[in-house]
Amino acid sequence: MGPMPMNVDHAVPADLEALRAAFDTDSCAPPLGWDAVCAFEAAHGIVLPEPYRTFVAEICDGSFSGPPEYGLVALTEMPKDWGNGRPERVLAKPFPLTGAWVWEGEEDDPRPEEEIEALLEQVFYHGSIVLGTDGCGMYWHLVVAGPHRGHVWNIGGEGAVPFGAEFGHTTSEPGFAGWVGHWAAGKYWYDAS
């Protein structure tokens, strides 16, 4: 199933208002401003998808309150539990998935182990920024390159799952605004309601 069309090139005013309302200004870090956002994009060879792009430029660059559980990390940071010694993240290389992939317990996968390992590395390190963590190695990524640009994914040690009604597990809209709206409504990410 392909992604629903999202407007990832232009910020929708209603989405921006909902994002402003969802984050407590006392827990938000100051926005980066457009110069810093454009410099980040130029350094990484990407354009951040909307409404996240305008959010970090004008509203908030990270928050101590969620989403996710341990807060939204700043654009240029990683969650505290990310660890050191990981491969370099390459944001301009396309994120490889368009559908859920649960690799834990997939002994029947016919692909050679080297191919699976290469794909796993791409899932974790290509084409996405890390929004934060729910702990226990579960990270939320915003895809910035590839066919799922603008979609939010939960990626952990067991698998990778896209967020949004079209993928199951929730009735919320896909993308950054849908993900934040789901959290602001007090729902867990896997709530089907």
Side-chain angles (χ1 to χ4, degrees):
M1 174 184 296
M4 292 175 70
M6 290 189 302
N7 189 350
V8 295
D9 296 319
H10 302 285
V12 176
D15 287 345
L16 295 175
E17 283 308 310
L19 290 170
R20 280 186 183 89
F23 286 90
D24 176 7
T25 55
D26 292 336
S27 68
C28 275
L32 282 179
W34 285 106
D35 289 345
V37 168
C38 291
F40 177 88
E41 292 173 331
H44 293 282
I46 61 162
V47 174
L48 295 168
E50 291 290 358
Y52 179 79
R53 185 175 195 248
T54 298
F55 176 78
V56 296
E58 297 181 359
I59 299 171
C60 178
D61 181 32
S63 174
F64 297 112
S65 62
E69 181 69 25
Y70 291 96
L72 185 68
V73 297
L75 175 62
T76 60
E77 295 178 8
M78 295 300 287
K80 289 181 170 70
D81 66 348
W82 187 255
N84 297 325
R86 289 186 178 226
E88 179 182 348
R89 297 186 52 71
V90 184
L91 304 186
K93 287 191 176 180
F95 182 76
L97 302 179
T98 57
W101 179 31
V102 178
W103 49 80
E104 184 169 286
E106 285 293 314
E107 292 83 17
D108 296 335
D109 195 318
R111 295 176 285 193
E113 189 169 328
E114 300 80 31
E115 185 179 326
I116 293 171
E117 290 298 321
L119 184 56
L120 279 170
E121 185 168 308
Q122 293 171 27
V123 168
F124 279 95
Y125 305 111
H126 290 180
S128 69
I129 60 167
V130 180
L131 298 171
T133 182
D134 279 336
C136 299
M138 294 187 303
Y139 299 97
W140 289 99
H141 292 240
L142 175 65
V143 176
V144 298
H148 254 229
R149 183 173 173 261
H151 283 272
V152 173
W153 282 67
N154 184 271
I155 303 173
E158 298 79 26
V161 180
F163 178 87
E166 68 206 78
F167 308 109
H169 307 295
T170 181
T171 57
S172 294
E173 293 295 316
F176 183 71
W179 178 70
V180 169
H182 187 81
W183 168 81
K187 300 176 182 177
Y188 291 105
W189 78 272
Y190 51 81
D191 279 349
S193 56

